[in-house]
Amino acid sequence: MMHIFGLDFTSAPSRQKPITCAICDLQATHLSVQACLTLPTFADFEAFLWQAGPWLAACDFPFGQPLKLLENLHWPEYWQGYVEHVAQLGKLGFEETITHYREQRPPGDKLHLRVTDRLAGACSPMMLHRIPVGKMFFQGAPRLLVAGVSVLPCHPTAADRMAVEGYPALVARHWSQRRGYKSDERVKQTPAQRAVRAAIVAGIRSPELQTLYGVTLHIADELAEQLIQEPMGDQLDAVLCAIQAAWAYTQHEHGYGIPLGHEVEGWIVNPDS
């Protein structure tokens, strides 16, 4: 059995908007969701990272930055080096550096993408506003490094605590048909989004999940209903990340499903990446 975690991350955790973690067990190809826990502070997240292994977690934040940005800023072109540099800059220094860099770039070339972002249809990890994945990178990646987690593929170590990069939208798209299914703003939360969440939950509980991700999912009816009813979608996204983590673990003899050559930028784990 392998302990599997899926983490829906935020750059500013609080009791109202915590980091959400799906706690799961994987036996062969059967993934069982035990609970969804909340981590309302970064101290809680750090303590989570130090819990004894073996485990594999998929975290919903970019682990790396685009190689083009590293080259242009003359940052170290290896993951540990530039993550340590970013940590030394501090939050304000990192955000000012990215903002100033973007201001000097021509239109259409301000927000670079990693290879994996293009394939996944994800935002640039340089993005600081609207969807602040750049802030999530700043808060997440250095903590993975300090905790001594084996970060795949960027910084693999002998640790039996392993982290891969997840992107729950990739799982959701199979059943959402790219329709919105969540919102953090109450005024934008609609019955239509709830219907899409219901379709996603039905999909991940169906045999189709095994066809797509090579695993089957068990989740109690009560918890499944919580995923449908929660309008912000945090618990649902955590479970979707856990599915990606479980798939990656089934590929552990094949590099966890991560192709070679993306050790600097990072890679989102997904079977069709």
Side-chain angles (χ1 to χ4, degrees):
M1 182 182 73
M2 185 67 175
H3 295 302
I4 296 291
F5 304 127
L7 285 103
D8 179 58
F9 200 72
T10 172
S11 62
S14 65
R15 296 201 176 276
Q16 291 72 35
K17 181 69 174 177
I19 298 168
T20 303
C21 180
I23 308 295
C24 311
D25 292 326
L26 181 68
Q27 298 222 26
T29 60
H30 183 68
L31 182 68
S32 179
V33 184
Q34 306 299 324
C36 284
L37 304 180
T38 57
L39 306 172
T41 69
F42 280 129
D44 294 325
F45 175 62
E46 291 162 5
F48 165 84
L49 294 176
W50 280 103
Q51 68 179 298
W55 51 257
L56 174 64
C59 305
D60 180 21
F61 62 83
F63 285 5
Q65 288 294 322
L67 185 58
K68 184 175 182 177
L69 176 71
L70 306 180
E71 292 172 344
N72 289 342
L73 289 178
H74 305 292
W75 285 359
E77 292 181 23
Y78 65 101
W79 187 81
Q80 179 179 348
Y82 73 80
V83 168
E84 288 176 340
H85 177 71
V86 163
Q88 290 169 0
L89 287 175
K91 181 177 182 293
L92 182 60
F94 170 70
E95 293 180 14
E96 287 180 342
T97 299
I98 296 297
T99 299
H100 178 72
Y101 175 84
R102 289 176 55 186
E103 289 172 348
Q104 309 306 310
R105 304 296 299 177
D109 193 28
K110 295 178 180 291
L111 290 170
H112 308 320
L113 295 171
R114 302 172 297 164
V115 172
T116 194
D117 299 321
R118 293 190 183 93
L119 291 172
C123 299
S124 166
M126 297 168 55
M127 200 167 177
L128 299 175
H129 303 289
R130 197 168 66 83
I131 305 175
V133 287
K135 296 179 180 180
M136 293 165 71
F137 159 79
F138 174 82
Q139 298 292 0
R143 286 182 164 89
L144 293 179
L145 179 60
V146 169
V149 174
S150 182
V151 183
L152 306 175
C154 305
H155 187 63
T157 70
D160 61 359
R161 298 168 294 129
M162 298 173 286
V164 293
E165 184 176 335
Y167 185 45
L170 284 177
V171 188
R173 285 173 193 167
H174 292 291
W175 298 282
S176 71
Q177 299 177 336
R178 294 184 179 267
R179 294 172 294 169
Y181 64 93
K182 60 180 181 177
S183 178
D184 288 346
E185 300 178 49
R186 186 182 295 272
V187 296
K188 295 183 180 180
Q189 296 166 355
T190 66
Q193 291 175 344
R194 181 193 175 282
V196 179
R197 291 195 299 275
I200 296 169
V201 171
I204 61 178
R205 300 180 85 186
S206 75
E208 190 176 6
L209 183 69
Q210 187 165 34
T211 302
L212 294 167
Y213 284 87
V215 298
T216 57
L217 181 76
H218 172 75
I219 184 170
D221 291 343
E222 182 179 357
L223 183 51
E225 187 62 23
Q226 288 180 31
L227 305 188
I228 295 170
Q229 296 297 339
E230 185 198 27
M232 292 192 295
D234 296 340
Q235 293 184 50
L236 178 54
D237 280 349
V239 171
L240 298 179
C241 277
I243 290 170
Q244 290 179 309
W247 172 81
Y249 187 71
T250 67
Q251 306 298 308
H252 66 272
E253 294 182 353
H254 307 284
Y256 294 86
I258 301 171
L260 296 175
H262 303 281
E263 294 75 17
V264 176
E265 293 186 325
W267 188 261
I268 296 167
V269 295
N270 207 67
D272 53 7
S273 294

